[in-house]
Amino acid sequence: DAGVIQSPRHEVTEMGQEVTLRCKPISGHNSLFWYRQTMMRGLELLIYFNNNVPIDDSGMPEDRFSAKMPNASFSTLKIQPSEPRDSAVYFCASSYRTQGLREKLFFGSGTQLSVL
Amino acid sequence: GQQLNQSPQSMFIQEGEDVSMNCTSSSIFNTWLWYKQEPGEGPVLLIALYKAGELTSNGRLTAQFGITRKDSFLNISASIPSDVGIYFCAGRNTDKLIFGTGTRLQVFP
């Protein structure tokens, strides 16, 4: 049973370039989350979707960041233009969310982003 | 963003020893999850807790949902080298999961 799949695993780019991170959630899951992990700030929630609809994007740092979920099996996180301070590990996670709180979040392996 | 306080920040122990770590918050949570992260990988779910006072085991791991609903504890018994990693707690009270700052565990043979 495939878990959450992220690509690429590593991305090195130059400041000012556009970066697109991709995520395929676990089949059957209806919620998808994008997190960013840094040494200084730990794991931060950027945005999450429920049934492909963005529910809360209050964690998105700036307008340079955008996320889409065109269908239940695919999501992208885009940074345009990228800056060195965007360097971090970006995780996608998915869950099956129903009424009530018995939810388990499953993470992908992450994308290590380095902006030079 | 909001984070939970985890302690200790790091632990260096000998193989065979027991490990205890905890997570505290000023807010009440309805769910506590414990994750382990190894280098180059995403966090992996270890244990999920849904009721105050609940005690749940997963092999050598035991976690408890604090009675006050503001804390949770994770114990690892008889540690082994593959227990090395960063352990995160995560709490949920509405629709968002808030992560702790992590406890880095090193196990020496």
Side-chain angles (χ1 to χ4, degrees):
Chain A
D1 194 12
V4 176
I5 299 172
Q6 290 185 248
S7 64
R9 283 300 307 270
H10 304 274
E11 176 81 35
V12 180
T13 191
E14 290 187 344
M15 185 172 69
Q17 296 297 307
E18 177 180 296
V19 173
T20 300
L21 311 182
R22 296 172 176 79
C23 176
K24 177 178 166 55
I26 292 173
S27 177
H29 281 187
N30 60 3
S31 294
L32 183 140
F33 305 78
W34 283 100
Y35 283 85
R36 178 171 68 176
Q37 186 177 40
T38 60
M39 287 293 291
M40 291 297 295
R41 300 173 67 89
L43 270 163
E44 301 175 279
L45 178 65
L46 301 177
I47 185 172
Y48 81 92
F49 296 82
N50 188 241
N51 293 321
N52 312 340
V53 176
I55 303 299
D56 188 336
D57 65 353
S58 59
M60 296 285 258
E62 299 169 37
D63 291 345
R64 298 184 296 106
F65 286 68
S66 63
K68 292 182 180 178
M69 191 164 185
N71 57 63
S73 57
F74 184 65
S75 177
T76 59
L77 178 68
K78 188 176 293 188
I79 308 173
Q80 165 64 15
S82 57
E83 296 182 6
R85 60 194 167 116
D86 301 332
S87 298
V89 182
Y90 290 81
F91 287 104
C92 177
S94 73
S95 71
Y96 181 66
R97 175 166 286 191
T98 62
Q99 276 192 324
L101 297 170
R102 288 186 176 254
E103 175 187 9
K104 296 178 182 178
L105 207 61
F106 295 90
F107 283 80
S109 297
T111 294
Q112 172 82 58
L113 175 64
S114 298
V115 183
L116 307 177
Chain B
Q2 181 186 354
Q3 283 192 334
L4 303 173
N5 294 317
Q6 258 185 271
S7 66
Q9 278 191 322
S10 58
M11 303 182 75
F12 298 85
I13 63 168
Q14 199 129 30
E15 184 177 1
E17 287 184 16
D18 296 343
V19 172
S20 290
M21 59 188 79
N22 67 69
C23 201
T24 59
S25 169
S26 56
S27 305
I28 289 175
F29 288 101
N30 293 316
T31 298
W32 284 97
L33 305 176
W34 283 92
Y35 287 84
K36 178 188 177 188
Q37 186 177 22
E38 297 185 17
E41 297 297 328
V44 174
L45 182 63
L46 299 174
I47 292 180
L49 302 161
Y50 301 110
K51 275 180 13 180
E54 182 178 355
L55 186 73
T56 298
S57 293
N58 178 7
R60 294 177 297 105
L61 277 61
T62 302
Q64 183 160 25
F65 193 140
I67 288 291
T68 65
R69 295 167 62 192
K70 293 183 178 182
D71 55 10
S72 181
F73 307 87
L74 177 70
N75 295 316
I76 306 173
S77 63
S79 58
I80 58 178
S82 62
D83 290 334
V84 165
I86 304 176
Y87 291 78
F88 291 97
C89 63
R92 181 166 169 238
N93 57 3
T94 54
D95 58 349
K96 293 185 195 178
L97 205 57
I98 309 297
F99 278 83
T101 47
T103 294
R104 186 180 295 270
L105 178 64
Q106 276 284 8
V107 180
F108 296 103

